[in-house]
Every structure is written in C-alpha cells, then in structure tokens.
Amino acid sequence: MSFLRERMGTILVVIIGVALFAFIAGEVITYGRSFMSGDRNTLGEVAGEKIAYEQYMDKVKQNTEMFMQQSGQSSITPQITDYVQENSWNQAVGQIILKKELEKLAIVVGTDETKSMVSGNNVSPQIAQYFTDQKTGQLNRQALNNFLSQMQSAKPNDPMIQQWNALVASLIEGKRSEKYFSLVSNGLYVNSLEAQDSYEAKNKLAKFTYVELPYSSLADNKVNITDNDYQAYYDEHKGQFKNTQELRSFEYVSFNASPSKEDTAAIKTQVEKLIPEFKASTNDSLFVQVNSEDKAPLAYQRKGQLEPQLDSVMFTAAPGFVYGPYVANGSYRIAKLVDSRVGPDSVSARHILISAATAGGIDKARANADSLKKLIEGGRPFAELAKNFSEDKQSGEKGGDLGTFGRGAMVPSFEEAAFNGKAGDLKIVESQFGVHLINVLSQKGSSKVVKVATVDKPLVASNKTQSGAYSKAQAFLGSVSKDNFGAEAKKQGFAVRNADDVTGTASALPGLDNARELVKWAFNKAEKGDLVDQVYTLGDQYVVAHLTKVKEEGTLSLADVKDQIKPEVLLQVKAKQLSSKLSSALNGASNIAQVAQKAGAKAVPVENIVFANPVIPGLSLEYKVIGTVFGMQPNKISKPIDGSHGVYVVSLNSFQNPPALTNTVREKQQLSQAITQQATGRLIEALKDKANVKDYRYKFL
C-alpha cells in the first residue's frame, strides 16, 4: 500500500496515457480503413476527378425516365437497368474527359454564339421544340420572346429559371464539344495514294487456286495440347488479355420457390369466390380498390386498348357481364363491363391548373378554380387567365391550350371530363397534379368505348412452397464446403450453374433476373474459394453460391484465360500438324495440282476476289490467305498459311487490274467520311485509356 501511495501519480499518468493512446489509435485505424476503402460518396474517378454517388444516380434516374417515356414502358427489366446504368456511367466519364480537354484547349462559346442558339437565327432544336406553332410547324418567335422576357424578371430561386439555366448550360457544353470534335475531324486528311490504294482494294480482281486441309479433318480428341502450347499462344497474344475491370466467377445451385400447382389452384379458387359479389356490386370502383392488387382507376377505353382476352368480348357484352377467371401478367383476373357508350375519338381542350400545395390545400385550390370559372363565364378571356394563373406554364403560355389528344393521353379524371362533356363545357376536376379548370373546345370522331373494372390476384407462392424451397437450400448450404461444392451438389442431384466473368455492377445472371445482392456478396464480402454464409433470396429463387475465380484488373495470367483460349490453342496445334503435312506435299511439287494430289485434297479454283472483301466463297473470311494472294507473283506456290477455317497453300493465276482512277475526289470523300465516323469513338476510347478511370460502382449499386 505504501508503494502504491508513493507511486500513484505515476501509475495514473501511465494508465491515462495508455487509454488515450488506445483511443487515438482506434480512431486512426478506423479512419485508415475508411480511407483505404475509398470515399463513401465517391463512385469513381476520372483523371483524378471524383464522380459523386448522387451525381451518378441523378443521371441514372434521368436516363431511366427518358427510356420509359420513349419506350412506353411503365417498368424496366434488370437487363435494361444494367444497360441504363452502364450508359449513364459512360456519359459521366465522357463528360469529365471532354471537359478537361476543352479546358486544356481553352475552347469557349461566346456571348453572340449563345444568343444565336437561344433567340437568334440558329435557335437550338432543343429550344425550338417548346415554341413551335402546332399549326404551321414553324418557330413561334413571339412566344419565345415572351418567355425570355419572363425569365429576365424571374427570381433566381424560381424552379423554372433554374431549369432554363440548366438547359442553356447544356447547350453551351454541347457546342463546346462540337467545336472540339470539329477540330479533330478537320485535322483528318486522305491523300491521293490512300485513295488509289482504296480504289484498287475494291476493284482489282484476283484469280487463284487453293488447296485446303480443314481443321475439322483432325478430331479434337486426337490432338494433344501441352503446357508449352498454351504458353506459346499466351505469349504471342498477351496484349489481348488486358482486363479493364475486375471480373468474378462463381457456381451456384438455385431452389425454385415459384408457385406450385396447388398454389395456382388456390388463387384461382380465391378469385372465383369473388365473382358473385362482383356481379352484385353497385360500386365497382370501390370493389376494385378493396379486392384488387392493381388498383387502377376505371376509365373508358376504345377497341384495341384492352387486354386481348377482354378486347374480343367486352365490346359485344351487356353492362354487368363478368369475364374470367383468366391469367394475364402473372395474375388471375376477373373483369366486369361497367358501361359502354359511343364517344369521341379525340378532344381539343385547354385548362388552368391550380396546385393544391401553392393554394394552401385542395379545398382552396377548388375555390380558386370556381372563382376563375365565374370570371370566364362573366366574359374574361380564358387564355388571359391561363397565362396569369395556371401552374402548367408550358400550356399557360399558349392560353392553356393542350392541343388535340386521344383516349389514354390524360389522367382518368381529366379524360372523363373532356370526353364525356360537350364542346364549350367548363368543368372542374381534381387529379394528382391539383385542380383543373377544363374548357372543352371540340370533339372529333365517334366510336364505341367501354369502361371495364378488373380485379387481379398475383400468382405468388404459398408460405408452404416458399418454406419448403428455403429448407432445401438451407440443408444444402449446411452440407457443403468450399472444397466439395460441385461433388456434393451432384451427389444430392442438384444442377450446378456457372456465372462466368461477372462485372461488379451486374444485376442479372443466367437463370437469375434479380441477382444484385449475390453479385454484391461476390465483390464486397468474398475471396476466391469462399462459400456464401447465407441462403440468398433472389426473386422466386433461393440460391447457394461458391466463388470460384477472381480476375483482377490488368493483364490476366495464363491460368485466368486458359479455359478461354483452349479453342484457339487447339486450332494452333492442329495448324502445326496440317502445315507439316502440306510442307511435305510441297516437296518436289511443281504445280498446285501436284500439291493437292500428294496432300489427299482438292485444288479449288476461284476468281473475282478483291482485297477489300477477303472471303473465300463457301468458306469464311480469310484475311491471311487473301493478303498472301495479293502479295504474290503469278504462277508461284505459297508456303502453308494458317487460316481461319484450315491450313492453305495457294497459287496465283492472274490479276485483272481496274481502269485507271482519273478522279480521286470521290474516293477521298468516301474514305474521309468513313474515317470521320470512327474518329469520335476512337478518340473517346483513347482519352479513357489515358485518364486512369477507376470504377467503384460495385460498392454502391
């Protein structure tokens, strides 16, 4: 105790010091791990510039919405998601690369050029589309100038001016890029010698005879491939094995949890029980909302707009008729004809939109619409009020005019008012956008339309089916290890599937459409040889996987590509054997016919072959063979040539030269056009290689 009392101060200092050191070390280690794993918001880097996660996802969202709008689809598949994400990534990378090149060359767009694009003699098509007169198809200068005047007086935080500034900024960047690519394309030149060579390559005709020993003449199982053969091929083609991004391969067993026959029958019975209630229902819209998975509002539809099963029966049935059950889009459905009538095919209308958020609630928005309606009925011009009060600025500038539209173009409540009214009507309706004051201008055409209420129940697996499949997957996972995956699966009678060279951003795999979580495991949690630590639920499949291969970014090793190059190595070994046979046949032979006889093959004559299209009729593209022919002297016999289809010996009979090229202008133009078309893509790829692009998307997506 005396010892402790005398040295307590020192001991406390040491204890506190150790504790502080441990705390600081822990923070350093944590920070270091964070640093080593990369910035949590950085999705990638291009020439040292970071691509933020939010920035990339905004671009993905925009491109997804654009795709859905252009394709008319309400949802997209995992494959399309992959395409959109990859396209968005390439756009982001390309924009950074181009920006750096534009800054390096000090390429700018002047004030006069910008003015010309926005309001001058060369208005950009992107702007012109918003101010084109629907009747004349020409740019409405007055409407454009009025809009620009409004933009000048708008507040900086106005969403409209922010969107406008973003559009103008994108036009400027597009113009800068156009200038850059013009500099490149204007620097491309085709000289007279190149034009002459191109002309001869397309018009000089060769007549020759060949002897071929096809690769198929040697059975694959009779050819022995050695490690030296693999190494020789790998060394010769090493430049082809550069891996631009990390790839991973794994094998997996999936257990199907899709609906069983019993599940399907139970859902059908459930739907059939609804039929009597559906027939007796007096509020079909409410019945759909209560009983259907898809709670779409009811709307009149013309022939061709219904599902095929309904389109053939509903237009001849009486109201109250119920059809089904039937299967469509993965659901059992029943449909009831609510009403049928003859109505217009299209409507011309205008509207004033009052936003509930801006007005302070839906009731106040409706009150505002009522006030505007009274003003119009009292003589105030609709167009004037639309321009001043409508939240829909695009139509507001046109006096609220929406043009002519058919059924299905507007939200149901709006469509109901426009198509079921008559010309001159002023109607107030609500939608998800707010309150609309609608003025029906005219109605055209006349055809029968029907209103159909549909109740659906998705075909989903029961708990019994799902738990049964999951139990099998869990039992399999418990019975395997990373060393016996394939053997144990075979023993238990399960099929093993392979997913080779998967990228870190893949969403789909063979047989698995929703495989994102499994891919994230393979890239973020697993090392080569690892077995999953859980059963993965991917759509209606339960999956157990084993990571078999990791291909790092950079030049791949021979082990990484051995399976991939086996077919080419096999052909190379066959080529050696067949070349040896043809070399023996060449000894002592004075003409191609003798070579064919000694080799046990045929001498085949061909003619009218051009260098620009190196195809041997009936065989394949043979670049080496045709290249050899056009470098030969007549009546000479070549050495054996390793081709694509087999090994050849050729003898040139003659050339037929084309008429002299007297005017090279046209040939130069064709060559220049072809080179220019390829220049942009090749330039971007070259800049990408130089930019040291780093892709971390697999950590986020």
Side-chain angles (χ1 to χ4, degrees):
M1 293 295 293
S2 176
F3 174 83
L4 289 174
R5 280 196 297 268
E6 291 174 1
R7 291 168 175 79
M8 184 57 71
T10 303
I11 293 172
L12 286 174
V13 169
V14 172
I15 292 173
I16 293 171
V18 170
L20 283 172
F21 176 78
F23 173 77
I24 294 169
E27 289 299 305
V28 170
I29 292 170
T30 302
Y31 176 79
R33 286 175 180 166
S34 177
F35 176 80
M36 291 300 291
S37 62
D39 187 341
R40 293 183 181 274
N41 191 45
T42 299
L43 200 76
E45 294 182 36
V46 181
E49 183 170 333
K50 296 179 179 180
I51 299 176
Y53 174 78
E54 292 83 0
Q55 171 192 348
Y56 171 76
M57 291 309 297
D58 285 344
K59 191 174 292 292
V60 170
K61 182 181 179 182
Q62 291 172 5
N63 288 340
T64 300
E65 290 173 350
M66 187 180 300
F67 176 86
M68 292 171 67
Q69 183 178 5
Q70 292 174 349
S71 64
Q73 299 180 19
S74 58
S75 60
I76 58 175
T77 64
Q79 291 81 359
I80 295 298
T81 298
D82 282 349
Y83 166 78
V84 171
Q85 289 178 349
E86 193 63 27
N87 191 43
S88 301
W89 170 256
N90 290 332
Q91 286 177 1
V93 172
Q95 285 173 356
I96 293 174
I97 289 173
L98 271 178
K99 184 182 73 172
K100 290 184 176 296
E101 291 298 305
L102 296 174
E103 290 172 353
K104 187 188 302 181
L105 297 174
I107 295 176
V108 298
V109 174
T111 304
D112 289 343
E113 290 177 289
T114 303
K115 185 176 180 180
S116 178
M117 287 192 295
V118 173
S119 60
N121 296 326
N122 298 304
V123 173
S124 166
Q126 289 177 265
I127 292 177
Q129 66 177 331
Y130 297 110
F131 301 98
T132 298
D133 191 307
Q134 300 298 323
K135 296 178 181 178
T136 65
Q138 302 297 315
L139 176 67
N140 187 331
R141 288 277 177 183
Q142 184 62 42
L144 174 58
N145 291 335
N146 290 341
F147 176 81
L148 293 174
S149 298
Q150 288 184 0
M151 289 299 99
Q152 289 178 352
S153 59
K155 296 179 180 179
N157 60 350
D158 187 327
M160 182 63 71
I161 198 169
Q162 291 175 355
Q163 292 175 14
W164 174 253
N165 290 338
L167 173 60
V168 173
S170 69
L171 293 177
I172 292 172
E173 287 306 307
K175 191 68 175 179
R176 291 177 73 201
S177 299
E178 182 184 322
K179 288 185 176 185
Y180 174 72
F181 289 120
S182 293
L183 285 173
V184 175
S185 60
N186 289 338
L188 300 174
Y189 177 72
V190 177
N191 60 39
S192 298
L193 289 176
E194 290 172 316
Q196 182 68 39
D197 286 344
S198 175
Y199 174 73
E200 289 192 2
K202 292 183 290 186
N203 296 283
K204 184 178 181 179
L205 305 178
K207 182 179 181 181
F208 65 91
T209 303
Y210 70 87
V211 174
E212 182 210 12
L213 297 180
Y215 295 127
S216 59
S217 63
L218 294 177
D220 292 354
N221 58 6
K222 300 294 184 182
V223 178
N224 182 38
I225 306 176
T226 67
D227 289 341
N228 288 336
D229 293 326
Y230 278 108
Q231 190 66 53
Y233 183 90
Y234 176 79
D235 292 339
E236 185 179 350
H237 300 85
K238 199 169 185 177
Q240 298 177 7
F241 306 131
K242 184 178 179 182
N243 203 27
T244 57
Q245 59 179 316
E246 184 176 306
L247 302 173
R248 299 200 167 201
S249 301
F250 46 90
E251 56 187 3
Y252 65 92
V253 174
S254 63
F255 297 83
N256 190 359
S258 59
S260 65
K261 290 182 179 179
E262 292 78 11
D263 297 335
T264 302
I267 293 168
K268 183 179 181 182
T269 300
Q270 184 182 357
V271 172
E272 287 174 336
K273 288 181 178 179
L274 291 173
I275 293 177
E277 295 180 50
F278 201 15
K279 286 182 177 179
S281 171
T282 57
N283 189 336
D284 298 312
S285 180
L286 179 60
F287 191 89
V288 169
Q289 293 297 313
V290 172
N291 295 286
S292 182
E293 185 74 19
D294 181 11
K295 306 180 188 303
L298 310 189
Y300 284 96
Q301 295 173 287
R302 64 177 183 273
K303 195 164 183 62
Q305 290 184 312
L306 296 173
E307 294 170 311
Q309 298 98 315
L310 301 181
D311 211 49
S312 60
V313 297
M314 288 301 181
F315 284 88
T316 56
F321 169 72
V322 174
Y323 177 80
Y326 65 98
V327 177
N329 298 323
S331 297
Y332 260 116
R333 299 186 172 197
I334 51 176
K336 178 180 180 180
L337 179 60
V338 178
D339 187 27
S340 64
R341 62 174 61 182
V342 175
D345 295 321
S346 62
V347 171
S348 294
R350 53 186 177 179
H351 82 141
I352 298 173
L353 174 63
I354 308 297
S355 167
T358 304
I362 196 69
D363 291 337
K364 290 184 178 180
R366 179 173 277 278
N368 290 348
D370 280 328
S371 299
L372 293 173
K373 181 181 179 183
K374 290 175 182 177
L375 288 174
I376 294 167
E377 289 172 339
R380 290 286 294 275
F382 189 103
E384 176 191 326
L385 296 177
K387 187 174 182 180
N388 293 329
F389 295 102
S390 181
E391 296 286 342
D392 182 359
K393 299 300 182 186
Q394 188 172 347
S395 69
E397 287 299 316
K398 304 173 186 177
D401 190 8
L402 296 169
T404 301
F405 50 89
R407 291 187 183 273
M410 301 297 179
V411 293
S413 59
F414 192 106
E415 180 177 297
E416 185 98 5
F419 279 84
N420 294 344
K422 60 183 183 299
D425 279 356
L426 280 172
K427 294 189 174 185
I428 296 174
V429 298
E430 297 176 15
S431 78
Q432 62 265 43
F433 302 107
V435 176
H436 306 262
L437 173 56
I438 304 170
N439 179 205
V440 180
L441 298 175
S442 64
Q443 297 173 327
K444 299 177 182 178
S446 179
S447 59
K448 188 173 184 178
V449 291
V450 295
K451 182 185 286 187
V452 177
T454 305
V455 174
D456 71 317
K457 296 292 182 185
L459 289 169
V460 295
S462 64
N463 290 334
K464 179 182 176 182
T465 299
Q466 292 179 18
S467 61
Y470 183 80
S471 296
K472 288 182 181 179
Q474 193 68 45
F476 176 68
L477 177 60
S479 68
V480 296
S481 68
K482 61 183 181 181
D483 299 319
N484 71 349
F485 189 91
E488 188 62 30
K490 184 177 180 180
K491 178 182 174 182
Q492 297 187 34
F494 299 134
V496 177
R497 305 192 70 169
N498 294 296
D500 296 322
D501 295 338
V502 177
T503 65
T505 58
S507 296
L509 298 173
L512 299 172
D513 285 339
N514 303 293
R516 188 71 203 121
E517 290 304 312
L518 185 60
V519 173
K520 288 170 72 174
W521 164 81
F523 276 83
N524 294 322
K525 298 179 181 179
E527 299 293 339
K528 181 180 177 181
D530 281 357
L531 185 70
V532 290
D533 56 357
Q534 68 178 64
V535 173
Y536 277 84
T537 305
L538 307 177
D540 59 3
Q541 303 288 319
Y542 294 113
V543 178
V544 178
H546 171 230
L547 187 63
T548 57
K549 190 178 295 183
V550 176
K551 292 182 179 179
E552 302 285 352
E553 182 180 348
T555 302
L556 300 172
S557 67
L558 174 58
D560 287 330
V561 300
K562 195 169 185 178
D563 292 339
Q564 173 188 332
I565 66 176
K566 183 178 179 179
E568 287 77 16
V569 176
L570 181 65
L571 292 183
Q572 196 172 68
V573 175
K574 287 184 177 183
K576 289 180 182 178
Q577 296 180 21
L578 297 174
S579 292
S580 178
K581 186 176 180 179
L582 280 176
S583 293
S584 298
L586 282 167
N587 287 331
S590 59
N591 57 59
I592 194 76
Q594 291 179 2
V595 175
Q597 185 179 13
K598 293 175 70 176
K602 293 181 179 180
V604 182
V606 292
E607 57 186 20
N608 298 329
I609 305 299
V610 296
F611 185 77
N613 186 29
V615 176
I616 295 180
L619 294 181
S620 61
L621 281 166
E622 290 291 2
Y623 293 99
K624 287 185 180 179
V625 177
I626 305 304
T628 300
V629 167
F630 277 84
M632 292 178 65
Q633 295 296 320
N635 303 317
K636 298 290 184 181
I637 303 175
S638 73
K639 294 179 180 180
I641 308 163
D642 299 348
S644 301
H645 191 262
V647 179
Y648 299 80
V649 168
V650 296
S651 176
L652 174 66
N653 299 328
S654 63
F655 286 124
Q656 181 180 335
N657 291 315
L661 179 62
T662 56
N663 187 351
T664 62
V665 174
R666 183 180 177 185
E667 197 67 37
K668 284 183 177 181
Q669 287 175 340
Q670 291 178 347
L671 269 179
S672 180
Q673 185 177 9
I675 293 170
T676 301
Q677 288 174 346
Q678 299 172 11
T680 300
R682 291 185 176 183
L683 174 61
I684 293 296
E685 289 304 313
L687 292 174
K688 277 185 182 179
D689 288 341
K690 186 180 177 182
N692 189 24
V693 178
K694 296 179 181 179
D695 187 352
Y696 308 134
R697 284 180 293 163
Y698 65 90
K699 297 180 181 180
F700 294 82
L701 303 181

